[in-house]
Each structure stands twice: as C-alpha cells, then as structure tokens.
Amino acid sequence: MAPEPPLLSMSGITKSFPGVRALDGVDLDVQAGEVHCLLGQNGAGKSTLIKVLAGAHQPDTGTIRWRGEEVTLRSPIAAMRLGIATIYQELDLVEHMSVAENVHLGHEPTAAGFVVRGRAAREATAGLLKRLGHPEIDPARLVGELSAAQQQIVSMARALSHDVRLIVMDEPSAALDPDEVDNLFRIVGDLTADGVAVVYISHRLEEIRRIGDRVTVLKDGRAVAVGLPAKSTPTREVVSLMTGRNVEYVFPERPSSAPETAPVLTVEKLSRQGEFEPLDLQVRAGEIVGLAGLVGSGRSEILETVYGARRPDTGRVLVDGKPLKPGSVRAAVRAGVGLAPEERKAQALLMLESVTRNVSVSSMSRFSRAGWIDRGAELGAARAATRELSLRPDNPDVPVRTLSGGNQQKAVLARWLLRGCRVLLLDEPTRGVDVGARAELYAVVRRLADEGLAVLLVSSEVPEVLGLADRVLVLREGRVVHTAPARELDEHRVLDLVMEGSPAS
Amino acid sequence: MTQPVSPPRDDRTGKVPPAGQAPAWRAVWSRADVRTLSLLGVLAVLVLIGGITKPDQFLDTRNLQLVLTQASVIGVVTVGMTFVITSGGIDLSVGAIVALASVWATTVATQEYGFGGILFTSIAVGVGCGLVNGVLIAYGGMVPFIATLAMLASARGLALQITEGRTQVVTVPSVLDLGERDAYVLGVPPLVLVFGVVTVIGWLLLNRTTFGRRTVAVGGNAEAARLAGIDVRRQRLYLYLLSGLCCGIAAFLLIVLSGSGQNTNGNLYELDAIAAAIIGGTLLTGGRGTIVGSVLGVLIFTTITNIFALNNLQSDVQQIAKGAIIVAAVLVQRRTASTT
C-alpha cells in the first residue's frame, strides 16, 4: 500500500437484510484520481455497497476510512459533506423543477433564509454544464423536458456543485449512445485529472478496459478480487471471477438455412409522425429479425406501435395475414403477439407479486372458469413455463422482485410462452442483465425461434443484434437505411450506417 | 397435479422452506398473517378494555349485536373501498352516495312500491353513481380524487334537494321488521348477515377470481397491466361500479337500521372506510389489498366508538383516538414490513 493513505478505504463491510446477506466482509480502497471499476452480477452486492458509501445504508460491521480517518456515514448528507457524490442508475431528479433548481436541490443559495431564485444559481449551473461539455442545456428548462442523456448530465452537474472528491457512477452508460458515452468518458478523464476519484459500475467490460485503472469484482456479497489492473487483466479472467465459471460471450448457432415459410408478422407502411417513417418488414416463423439503431432512432417506438401500445398514423400490422385493430394492445395479444418491453420493472412486471402471477397474468382465462381461478392449474402451468426457460430459483412462489435481471426477463418471456404467442417483440432484452446470464438468454430466444416463434429484436448493442438475429434492419432517425442478413454485416459496418447513414433518397 | 416444491437452491431469496422441515416462525407466517394477527390482537385488547371498564354493559349480547350492526353499514362500504384502493384509486363519494341512495329510496313515491322498491332504488342509485364515477375516471381520464370529490358534492346536494332537510320516515313494515329482534337468525341480526355475505363474496372476488387479479395488477402497475393485455379502463369502470353497489347495499342497511332516510346519512363514511382499509393493510398506493384486514379495521373502529359511548366520552375524544390509532397502525405496519 502506498505511504499516502488511500482517499477511501472500506474494510470488512457487512450488511444483511432479512433473509439476505448482501455484503459479507467487503474491502474496497480507492485512490485519489483513479477510476475504480466495480464489477459483479446483479445481486452481487454492488448496489448495496454504493448505498453504504452514499450513506443511504448503514453497514452492520466494518470500517470506512476517509483520507485515513475513520468515519461514519450516517446519512446521505454526511457522505455529501465529505465530498462523496453518487449518480444513481435511476436518476433522482425532480421533473417539474428546472435544471438549475435540481442542481442546487438541498443546498439552494440562500439569503436571509430565503431561496434566491434566478441568476446566481443559473449562472453557476451554466458553468457546470459547460464543464461537462453540454453548454446547450438551458439551466432554466424543466428537467422533465430533457432527454435521458441530458438528465444524466444534470445529475452529474449536481454532484459537481458540491466540493466533490469521489463520484460513484452506477451504470452511467446504460442509457447513452456511443457519442454520449465518449463525452462521458471525457468528463471522467477531466475529473480524474483534477484528482477526483471515480467509482465506476458497468456491465460493459470494454468500457472498463477503456477508462478503468483498477477493478474490484464482487460475487455473492464478497469481493473476489480487489484492485486488479483494469487494462491488463484478461477478459476471460474477469468474467470467470464474476460468474465463477468460464463464460464466453457466445451466441447460439443459427439454423443453416433460412425458413421458407409464410411470414407470421407483416408490417406494411407503418409510420408515426416524428417518430419513424413508413416501415415494411416481415418476420417468418423461426426467424429472428433485428432492428439496430441508436437511442432516438425510433426502435422502441416501432415495437410499441406494432404491439398496439401506440396508434400508427399510417399502415397496418398483420399476423398470419390478418390485420390487427390499430392501437389496441388487446387485439395484438389476442392475435398472439407478446412484448418484452425495455423498462421491465415499469412496463412489464408486477413487482409486489409472485413469479406465478406475473407469468399467468396474460393467460388468466386459461385457468379460470366464469372468472374463477383454478390456482393449482395456474401454478402448474407457470412452473412448466418457468422450468422450460430454466428460471432461477426454481420456485414460482417467490416474489418477482427478488429475482435477478436475467431471471426477471425470463419471467416476462415465460408469460408469453404460456400464452402460446406466435410473435415475440423483444426491446433491449439484455438491458440490466449481467454478462453471465446473457448467453443463456440468447440461447432461450433462439430456442423459442426454433420452436416456431417469429422474433423481432431491438437492441442498442450491435454485437447482440448481429449475433442473435438472422436478418438485420439498420435504422437511422426513424428510417431503415440498410437491410441485410446478419452474417453479411459486421459491427464496424453497422456502426458506420447508424452514425452516418447512407442517404437513401 | 402440482409437482412438489423443490428444496431452496438459494437461501438469499428468503423463500419459504418446504413443508416437513422445521422452519423458523417467520417463515411459517407470511407478512399478511402477522398483520392480521396483530389486528386481532388490537381487537382483543379493546374487548378486554371494554370488558373491564363496563363489564355488565359491554359484553351484553344486545350491545355486541349493536356493535356488529353498526359495523355492518360502514363495513359493506369498506369492502367496496378496499377494491378501489387496491386498484390504485380512491372513492371519496361513498358517504354522499349512501346519503343519496337512502333518501331516494325513502321518498313517498318510492315507498309506494314497498320493500322491493326501496331495495331496488337503493342499489340502483348506488350503481348509477358508481357508473358516473367509473366513466369519468376510466374513459374521461379524470383523476379519481377529483371525480369522486365532484360526486361527493353533487350527491350530497341532490340528497338535500330531495329531502329539503327533512327526515323521511320509513312506513313500510317489512323493511322495518328486518331491524327487529324477531328477524334475528340464531341471535344474529340480518344486517350483520348481509355484511358477512358481502365480506365472503368480496374475499373470494379479490383472492380467487380473475377480477381480483386484474384489480391487483392495475393497482400494482397499470402500464404493465395494459401491456400484458388487460383492459385497464374497463376494469376501472367495474371497480367504481362495485364501490357504488356496496354503497347502495349500505344505504339499504342504514334505512333498515334507522327506519328513515336523511341527507346527513353516511357523513364522513369516506374517511372511516379509507382509514379501516389502510389500517387493515391495504396499500394506499395500490397493488395490495386485504378484505380480512379491512373488516378487522372496521370492527376495531366500531368497538372503540362503542366503548367510548359506554364510558360517556365525547365524540371529540373519539376522533382524536381514531387519529392516533391510524398513525399507530401505519407505524406498526412499516415496522413489520421492514422486519419480515
């Protein structure tokens, strides 16, 4: 250890929740000016650790030293006073307040006890935004009007408005496009050059390689590796530390020949003003069609319109040749279309309910007579569907909120499997799913396709679209700029297309 | 036909061990059971207090019959309210609907149709008001708080207009007979039987039917329910209809109980029903509801009122005690929620 005490040193941190030991003697030390990456699967204890660091959770045992002195972080305010700021994955901004008000929330500039509105706060905010490379954000605008990426910048500006020595970033790149990620990395570089330490959490190993200095890997509440060199540790070693087994980022085999069946899903001239231009596509049984594009290219909007959650301006959607009633989710579900939406917790899951009830919710008529539910049949069917997808734990009575991201996604897939759907719409299926569980999810999706489902896949991760889909439609600003079999494309080519596009007309 | 539950693979999920092992007490009782038991405990303490302070009067059969009868009217309303709150809504108009239904059903013109006329009118007015609430909320996109607040004001106004402030005495003997001791079944007043039946049906509806599942799903996550293919708007309409129906039934019970219809009937029922549902364990934010808890909540409140009345304490003291109980119940629930 360096003679200079580390900026932050946590040792032997233990934290238990009822029934769960979330942290079990974790050590972490962070030097000033370094990017310290925190890796681990969902449920490994990352969130709990950063909440301890943010003062939101109190550890049961263990010590925290700040510049060599033992401290107790009794509350988020105590952590903030020391100079620890946290940027959570779910941004904690007040939508109905302006950018400047959000940045100064909790430490508003005051005069004689009154909040001073206006110029001073706005100017300070503008300065911070400029430092963050986003001078175009108007401090007077309401946060609710900003894009997700801009909101993240505001969140960072708020962190910097304190005299911050350590910033914790929880998956900051999850909602960002590649160019915004570049900007994020530039900001991280500037911060560390100023001697600020960054604790960076991400699922994306390549990011950690790009900006990380050291890596700490958590698994099942323990630190299985502390302070590994981020750039030189082989990926395979990091992944095997996280998962406890050697996992490659593997995609399942494609069938040797494309199926020559009639299309199950047909989309004709579907469009929505300002979101995406008239789109035609067909998906056959057994086929996975991928939509690749940046955030804002209309990907999710297309899926939701196909599903009837948004009403199209023009065009129609056909399943097995029969047109669906436009703008009706129920018509789509009845015709055999299922959606696994991007925001699983907000759009798909009943978080208070058990896995069984989450799986059966779209097929209740199958277990009921005159509205009366046969709970034995329901449980049996839910168990069969979740077993088929190897959902863990193998007990459909557990609350769905206790599952990891990958298993929550399986619960959503099991819902549509049970429903017996023909068309599966997948929006960012591996968002929030850790590396180890992804390969398994890919295999599940391919198997469902092999069993005759038509799958339409949206993902912002180009390798995922290329690895999983049979055919890829590249989107840029709501328009399809290229269509090709996945094996004829590579990541570089797709990125070129989504960034530059080739003017089609 | 169900397969046996496999043993826990992962004790971090905190799931219940399979039967046959010796599980910790915490695993045996789910959180809901703990809450129900604690409510029963509170009720037992109240009965004890009543028995000690007024041993002769409180435990008298007539007094217990009275307590249960009083609980029946607000209890039926609370069952409907529980559904609405479970779905993430609120119905502030229940007291006003009870008032309107009770006066509409006791006008001279209605009473000419006898028992059936009074019963039918009570329920029709309740369902009609529920329909208006439901359409405004489900298809008009109004916030439940505002729509039912408007209904509260209008229904009370209409009730006053019908009665012109007078008490409408019921002259139909068959209705009045229902409240007499001769009509008691094995010592149980018919009103209490109606309450019991409504409770059982409500419990079955919430826990054993697709209607109940949809209610919970809409309350837990309306967007997820919609994207899972549930007709959220129609479900909301049905829920306010159900609440209106319960108000109509309660109005009829109140007519039997008081032998009259008054525009001041059902005063502050909305608060009592919401309070009973909340202390019973129904989440005000929706997604979780318990009929048993609501009924226990009603019994607790009614018992307190009775004990206070027997001890000649004024209603202002009662109100303060009720407020304190609501706060205490919610605090206790938060504790049990975080420790189980």
Side-chain angles (χ1 to χ4, degrees):
Chain A
M1 189 150 293
E4 176 93 352
L7 179 67
L8 169 81
S9 159
M10 303 170 90
S11 60
I13 302 291
T14 303
K15 174 74 184 174
S16 293
F17 297 107
V20 183
R21 173 155 285 199
L23 293 176
D24 193 1
V26 171
D27 299 337
L28 175 72
D29 72 275
V30 182
Q31 305 285 350
E34 77 162 334
V35 178
H36 196 115
C37 298
L38 204 52
L39 272 176
Q41 305 206 36
N42 286 342
K46 294 176 310 226
S47 303
T48 312
L49 186 63
I50 64 169
K51 280 184 180 159
V52 168
L53 188 49
H57 283 331
Q58 304 305 311
D60 301 333
T61 61
T63 54
I64 302 172
R65 289 175 183 276
W66 181 254
R67 293 170 158 164
E69 281 177 38
E70 192 167 335
V71 291
T72 313
L73 303 172
R74 266 195 198 83
S75 66
I77 295 166
M80 238 177 267
R81 289 222 174 99
L82 286 180
I84 301 173
T86 305
I87 297 164
Y88 290 104
Q89 205 175 345
E90 324 245 307
L91 297 174
D92 46 352
L93 299 172
V94 185
E95 294 200 346
H96 297 293
M97 289 170 77
S98 74
V99 170
E101 284 167 332
N102 265 286
V103 165
H104 292 99
L105 196 63
H107 60 116
E108 292 86 354
T110 53
F114 290 97
V115 174
V116 181
R117 301 174 65 93
R119 193 175 297 171
R122 278 204 301 276
E123 276 172 4
T125 305
L128 289 167
L129 292 170
K130 199 169 169 192
R131 185 174 159 198
L132 293 170
H134 278 262
E136 85 285 359
I137 301 175
D138 178 359
R141 272 185 79 187
L142 293 184
V143 161
E145 297 169 356
L146 302 178
S147 72
Q150 288 174 322
Q151 292 190 5
Q152 189 165 51
I153 296 294
V154 174
S155 208
M156 256 181 250
R158 179 198 281 180
L160 292 181
S161 71
H162 303 268
D163 183 21
V164 64
R165 306 306 310 157
L166 173 74
I167 295 191
V168 181
M169 298 183 183
D170 190 3
E171 295 210 34
S173 62
L176 298 185
D177 282 334
D179 56 332
E180 290 162 343
V181 172
D182 286 343
N183 182 53
L184 172 73
F185 288 176
R186 190 187 56 72
I187 294 166
V188 169
D190 288 353
L191 287 170
T192 50
D194 290 347
V196 175
V198 175
V199 172
Y200 189 94
I201 296 173
S202 176
H203 281 304
R204 299 178 183 170
L205 295 177
E206 72 276 10
E207 290 183 353
I208 284 161
R209 232 176 258 310
R210 264 179 72 187
I211 59 162
D213 295 309
R214 293 192 301 156
V215 176
T216 289
V217 182
L218 293 182
K219 179 168 180 287
D220 296 338
R222 294 166 200 267
V224 289
V226 179
L228 294 175
K231 301 222 166 33
S232 57
T233 309
T235 302
R236 185 180 287 258
E237 187 184 332
V238 175
V239 172
S240 75
L241 280 169
M242 282 168 65
T243 59
R245 58 203 148 106
N246 271 306
V247 175
E248 295 210 330
Y249 209 56
V250 284
F251 291 99
E253 285 284 309
R254 293 192 183 88
S256 49
S257 61
E260 287 300 326
T261 51
V264 178
L265 176 72
T266 308
V267 173
E268 289 178 354
K269 302 263 176 296
L270 198 71
S271 78
R272 265 175 71 88
Q273 187 77 42
E275 290 180 354
F276 56 94
E277 294 176 19
L279 169 81
D280 290 276
L281 67 84
Q282 296 187 331
V283 189
R284 298 169 195 284
E287 194 182 25
I288 302 175
V289 172
L291 296 177
L294 302 178
V295 173
S297 62
R299 303 166 317 192
S300 297
E301 290 81 1
I302 289 173
L303 278 199
E304 292 186 10
T305 310
V306 169
Y307 191 58
R310 294 168 188 244
R311 185 178 286 277
D313 292 330
T314 67
R316 56 184 192 159
V317 178
L318 300 94
V319 175
D320 291 327
K322 291 190 207 84
L324 300 182
K325 184 180 163 195
S328 166
V329 170
R330 286 167 59 72
V333 170
R334 234 179 278 128
V337 184
L339 169 73
E342 181 177 7
E343 301 287 339
R344 263 190 305 281
K345 288 178 189 174
Q347 296 181 290
L349 295 171
L350 307 167
M351 295 304 277
L352 291 172
E353 299 282 312
S354 67
V355 172
T356 302
R357 292 190 173 195
N358 272 283
V359 170
S360 70
V361 67
S362 293
S363 321
M364 277 190 289
S365 57
R366 278 184 49 186
F367 324 105
S368 60
R369 184 171 297 174
W372 192 265
I373 294 173
D374 178 347
R375 294 191 301 158
E378 180 191 23
L379 184 63
R383 179 167 285 146
T386 52
R387 281 225 170 116
E388 181 160 357
L389 301 180
S390 313
L391 188 145
R392 293 283 174 270
D394 182 20
N395 176 0
D397 286 332
V398 299
V400 78
R401 75 187 127 78
T402 62
L403 302 185
S404 66
N407 282 303
Q408 287 183 350
Q409 183 67 282
K410 285 184 185 174
V412 176
L413 295 182
R415 173 187 294 173
W416 299 119
L417 192 64
L418 183 55
R419 169 89 204 175
C421 78
R422 317 267 333 273
V423 179
L424 197 53
L425 309 175
L426 301 176
D427 195 353
E428 302 282 354
T430 57
R431 179 121 183 234
V433 175
D434 51 64
V435 177
R438 284 183 183 196
E440 204 185 335
L441 211 51
Y442 296 143
V444 164
V445 171
R446 174 51 75 185
R447 189 154 51 80
L448 293 176
D450 288 345
E451 288 167 10
L453 254 66
V455 180
L456 186 56
L457 165 78
V458 156
S459 177
S460 52
E461 294 192 30
V462 175
E464 185 167 294
V465 178
L466 292 180
L468 193 55
D470 301 304
R471 211 148 46 82
V472 176
L473 278 64
V474 182
L475 287 170
R476 182 166 177 269
E477 288 166 9
R479 187 182 340 163
V480 176
V481 292
H482 192 71
T483 306
R487 62 187 85 202
E488 291 173 14
L489 291 168
D490 61 32
E491 191 174 353
H492 199 75
R493 171 100 176 98
V494 173
L495 281 175
D496 274 354
L497 285 166
V498 297
M499 308 282 236
E500 311 300 333
S502 49
S505 53
Chain B
M1 66 167 294
T2 54
Q3 293 133 323
V5 176
S6 59
R9 284 166 189 279
D10 184 356
D11 54 10
R12 285 156 44 93
T13 58
K15 68 179 171 186
V16 179
Q21 297 181 5
W25 69 271
R26 186 182 280 164
V28 178
W29 290 326
S30 70
R31 185 187 301 169
D33 295 330
V34 170
R35 181 181 290 126
T36 305
L37 280 175
S38 63
L39 289 171
L40 277 171
V42 171
L43 196 55
V45 169
L46 286 175
V47 170
L48 210 61
I49 293 172
I52 290 169
T53 54
K54 295 281 167 186
D56 301 331
Q57 294 159 34
F58 180 77
L59 292 174
D60 180 59
T61 312
R62 281 168 185 262
N63 185 55
L64 294 180
Q65 285 167 338
L66 175 72
V67 171
L68 286 175
T69 309
Q70 286 169 340
S72 298
V73 181
I74 185 68
V76 171
V77 172
T78 304
V79 170
M81 182 70 86
T82 304
F83 276 86
V84 170
I85 295 179
T86 303
S87 77
I90 197 86
D91 189 347
L92 299 179
S93 62
V94 288
I97 295 176
V98 168
L100 180 60
S102 73
V103 301
W104 202 322
T106 52
T107 57
V108 177
T110 313
Q111 291 203 33
E112 280 176 14
Y113 293 94
F115 186 96
I118 293 177
L119 178 61
F120 175 81
T121 308
S122 303
I123 287 175
V125 171
V127 171
C129 292
L131 180 69
V132 174
N133 278 338
V135 168
L136 288 176
I137 291 161
Y139 296 98
M142 281 181 79
V143 179
F145 191 97
I146 302 298
T148 59
L149 189 64
M151 175 60 73
L152 184 163
S154 344
R156 279 251 175 249
L158 190 54
L160 178 61
Q161 203 168 46
I162 289 173
T163 59
E164 293 171 335
R166 288 190 293 265
T167 299
Q168 301 179 155
V169 177
V170 175
T171 55
V172 179
S174 56
V175 171
L176 297 172
D177 287 349
L178 265 187
E180 297 299 323
R181 303 198 64 78
D182 293 345
Y184 287 15
V185 181
L186 301 172
V188 182
L191 302 194
V192 178
L193 286 179
V194 172
F195 176 34
V197 169
V198 169
T199 301
V200 170
I201 292 176
W203 187 88
L204 290 172
L205 197 58
L206 186 61
N207 296 295
R208 290 288 183 268
T209 68
T210 54
F211 181 88
R213 288 291 174 79
R214 292 197 194 106
T215 304
V216 172
V218 168
N221 188 339
E223 173 72 356
R226 184 176 81 98
L227 291 179
I230 290 174
D231 192 335
V232 173
R233 290 193 288 187
R234 190 170 66 193
Q235 185 67 19
R236 290 216 167 105
L237 172 65
Y238 287 165
L239 285 159
Y240 288 92
L241 277 178
L242 178 69
S243 180
L245 170 69
C246 288
C247 292
I249 296 171
F252 183 76
L253 300 186
L254 197 55
I255 290 168
V256 171
L257 186 63
S258 65
S260 67
Q262 284 172 267
N263 64 297
T264 54
N265 274 346
N267 191 29
L268 295 184
Y269 271 21
E270 56 278 359
L271 296 187
D272 287 346
I274 293 168
I278 298 307
I279 75 161
T282 297
L283 278 185
L284 192 53
T285 46
R288 185 182 292 150
T290 153
I291 298 289
V292 173
S294 293
V295 169
L296 287 174
V298 168
L299 290 177
I300 287 170
F301 277 144
T302 321
T303 308
I304 292 171
T305 308
N306 181 255
I307 292 171
F308 277 56
L310 290 177
N311 286 287
N312 294 321
L313 287 165
Q314 299 302 313
S315 64
D316 49 358
V317 188
Q318 287 179 34
Q319 298 290 351
I320 296 168
K322 274 189 190 176
I325 284 173
I326 293 170
V327 172
V330 173
L331 287 179
V332 167
Q333 277 173 20
R334 289 181 51 141
R335 270 188 70 93
T336 55
S338 61
T339 55
T340 53

